[in-house]
Amino acid sequence: MSQTVQMALDQVRQWIHDAEAQANRPAGAVQLIAVSKTFPGDAIREAYAAGQRAFGENYVQEFASKVAELSDLDIEWHFIGPIQSNKTRIVAEYAHWVHSVDRHKIAERLSTQRPSAMPALNLCIQVNVSGEQSKSGCAPEAVGDLVRQIGLLPNVRVRGLMCIPEPTADQVLLAKRFALLCQLRDTLRTEGFELDTLSMGMSADLALAVGQGATMVRVGTAIFGARDYSQKQTGN
Ligand SMILES: *Cc1c(COP(=O)(O)O)cnc(C)c1O
C-alpha cells in the first residue's frame, strides 16, 4: 500500500482534531467524508485500509461503477453532486446520504425509489449561501418550506443542511457563509426539526467550517491529490 493516501489522511484528521479543539468542540464532533470523485477504486481501497469508511462521489455514472467495483467493502456512500431527476435510482438504492438535494422533486423521487427494506435515506438540503454567484442550492428563504415538505416523505430523512460557498480567499466572507448555514439550521431546530448535520468545509477551508459548527467536512484534494478531469466525462 502506498504511504501517500495514508499520510494525507492522517494529516487531514489532525487538522480536524486541531480545529475541533480550537473551537472548543469535542474530539470526534466532525465526520470526515473522503471525496473520491475522479480517483480510481484503488485509491478508495487505500483510504479504506487506513480506516476511512465514508466516501463522497459526485457523478452518478462513476458512483454506480464504484459501488459495483467496491461491493466487498463496508463503505458509507455519500452522494454530493448535482442530481438530475432521471438519474436518481442508483443513488436511491446505494447511497447512505445525499448532500445535494435542492428541490422537492428530487427528494420525492429518491423517496419513491428507496427500497423499503432499507433504512431511510439521509438527506441534506443544499443551500445557496452566496447569492447569485452559484447556481446549485435552494435560496436561504426557501429552505424552511423545503425541509417541511420533504419531511413528509416516507423513505427519506432530512438530517441537515449543506453548502458550497463561492470560491474566494476571503476568510471573513467564507466564515459568514458558514455562519449563515449554521444559523438557518438553528432556526429550523427551534421550529421543531431535528437537524443534527451541517455539511460544510472542503480541503481549503475545513478548519474555518469546523469553527462555524460543521459536523461533516467533505475533503478530496487534501487526501487524494489534485484531480485530473481530462480523462473523464463529467456529465451525470
Ligand atoms: C469536489 C467536492 C469536494 C471536495 O473538494 P476539495 O477541494 O477537493 O476538498 C467537496 N464537496 C463537493 C460538493 C465537491 O464537489
Side-chain angles (χ1 to χ4, degrees):
M1 172 170 131
S2 112
Q3 284 293 92
T4 51
V5 167
Q6 163 138 35
M7 283 164 56
L9 256 179
D10 286 344
Q11 175 68 258
V12 170
R13 287 169 178 151
Q14 188 63 48
W15 288 343
I16 293 171
H17 188 84
D18 292 348
E20 286 168 339
Q22 183 139 32
N24 285 313
R25 300 182 57 198
V30 180
Q31 186 187 7
L32 172 60
I33 314 301
V35 177
S36 42
K37 64 182 179 212
T38 79
F39 287 93
D42 284 347
I44 295 180
R45 287 188 186 277
E46 279 188 45
Y48 190 92
Q52 181 65 28
R53 292 293 175 272
F55 292 88
E57 288 286 338
N58 284 60
Y59 310 108
V60 173
Q61 234 57 267
E62 182 180 350
F63 173 63
S65 61
K66 283 179 177 164
V67 162
E69 181 187 344
L70 302 168
S71 62
D72 57 313
L73 305 183
D74 184 25
I75 288 178
E76 179 180 288
W77 288 112
H78 293 248
F79 195 84
I80 63 174
I83 316 178
Q84 296 165 16
S85 59
N86 60 342
K87 301 268 174 70
T88 47
R89 184 172 295 277
I90 291 285
V91 176
E93 290 180 355
Y94 292 101
H96 301 83
W97 285 77
V98 180
H99 294 228
S100 42
V101 173
D102 62 1
R103 50 199 199 279
H104 184 259
K105 184 182 178 191
I106 297 293
E108 196 171 37
R109 291 184 66 92
L110 289 170
S111 180
T112 303
Q113 294 171 341
R114 182 70 167 175
S116 51
M118 294 178 77
L121 179 58
N122 297 299
L123 305 184
C124 291
I125 307 301
Q126 184 174 350
V127 183
N128 181 353
V129 291
S130 312
E132 300 296 289
Q133 287 108 330
S134 100
K135 291 155 279 158
S136 296
C138 78
E141 309 78 60
V143 70
D145 282 342
L146 204 49
V147 169
R148 235 180 309 282
Q149 287 168 10
I150 294 176
L152 301 172
L153 299 169
N155 300 322
V156 294
R157 182 165 162 223
V158 183
R159 297 289 299 271
L161 307 180
M162 178 273 223
C163 73
I164 310 172
E166 71 272 49
T168 173
D170 182 340
Q171 303 293 297
V172 175
L173 184 64
L174 275 175
K176 215 174 101 186
R177 303 307 191 208
F178 292 142
L180 171 60
L181 198 74
C182 188
Q183 192 192 324
L184 289 167
R185 194 269 320 257
D186 290 347
T187 302
L188 289 165
R189 271 184 172 171
T190 64
E191 293 169 12
F193 296 100
E194 289 176 30
L195 305 182
D196 56 11
T197 302
L198 277 181
S199 168
M200 57 189 197
M202 317 201 294
S203 294
D205 54 19
L206 73 88
L208 202 58
V210 170
Q212 298 296 328
T215 66
M216 287 182 178
V217 291
R218 311 175 309 268
V219 179
T221 310
I223 297 171
F224 297 109
R227 288 179 289 273
D228 175 7
Y229 286 99
S230 63
Q231 308 289 333
K232 158 139 199 46
Q233 283 195 333
T234 53
N236 276 308

